[in-house]
Amino acid sequence: TVQLVESGGGSVQAGGSLRLSCAASGVTYSSYCMGWFRQAPGKAREGVATIYVGAGSTYYADSVKGRLTITQDNAKNTIYLQMNSLEPEDTAMHYCAADPTVWRSFCSPRRTNFANWGQGTQVTVSS
């Protein structure tokens, strides 16, 4: 069973930075798709960034390009989301997801039907 544990959320002022972490356990594949998604109150869940762990290929939603960076630490089975120049519109519950069955070519933030999800970590940006 794949388990995902997020951390690093919090409250910051606009223009600030946060780094989210997602530690994965129970994954037996050497390469698989992981990603960060967010959901604001009253809005649908949206993909932010994905990474094909192992190869390190990254994919971003257009709305966050240049401000958010997804990275991996293979030794720790952990991915990160570095968030800079945060805006009030980034306020949302942020979730980590993983799916070992998703091929690299389909590892996109537009894909929301991942098999495994974390419990989420809240990011709040004040103006």
Side-chain angles (χ1 to χ4, degrees):
T1 303
V2 175
Q3 292 187 324
L4 305 172
V5 179
E6 303 105 328
S7 61
S11 298
V12 296
Q13 291 190 327
S17 300
L18 283 173
R19 188 177 82 152
L20 306 183
S21 300
C22 174
S25 61
V27 181
T28 58
Y29 293 79
S30 60
S31 298
Y32 53 97
C33 183
M34 292 187 70
W36 287 99
F37 299 79
R38 65 186 183 187
Q39 187 167 20
K43 295 187 177 181
R45 183 174 296 184
E46 64 172 347
V48 174
T50 51
I51 184 167
Y52 197 72
V53 175
S57 305
T58 58
Y59 312 89
Y60 295 93
D62 289 342
S63 60
V64 303
K65 283 182 180 178
R67 297 191 301 118
L68 276 57
T69 304
I70 187 170
T71 57
Q72 62 180 16
D73 184 332
N74 288 349
K76 297 181 178 180
N77 285 336
T78 299
I79 65 168
Y80 303 94
L81 185 69
Q82 178 67 43
M83 303 188 293
N84 299 325
S85 301
L86 283 164
E87 306 168 348
E89 293 72 23
D90 295 313
T91 295
M93 184 69 78
H94 285 63
Y95 298 92
C96 173
D99 197 329
T101 67
V102 174
W103 292 1
R104 178 176 175 177
S105 57
F106 295 102
C107 186
S108 165
R110 292 186 294 274
R111 183 187 188 95
T112 58
N113 59 335
F114 279 63
N116 306 284
W117 294 85
Q119 81 288 352
T121 185
Q122 178 68 34
V123 171
T124 302
V125 185
S126 58
S127 57

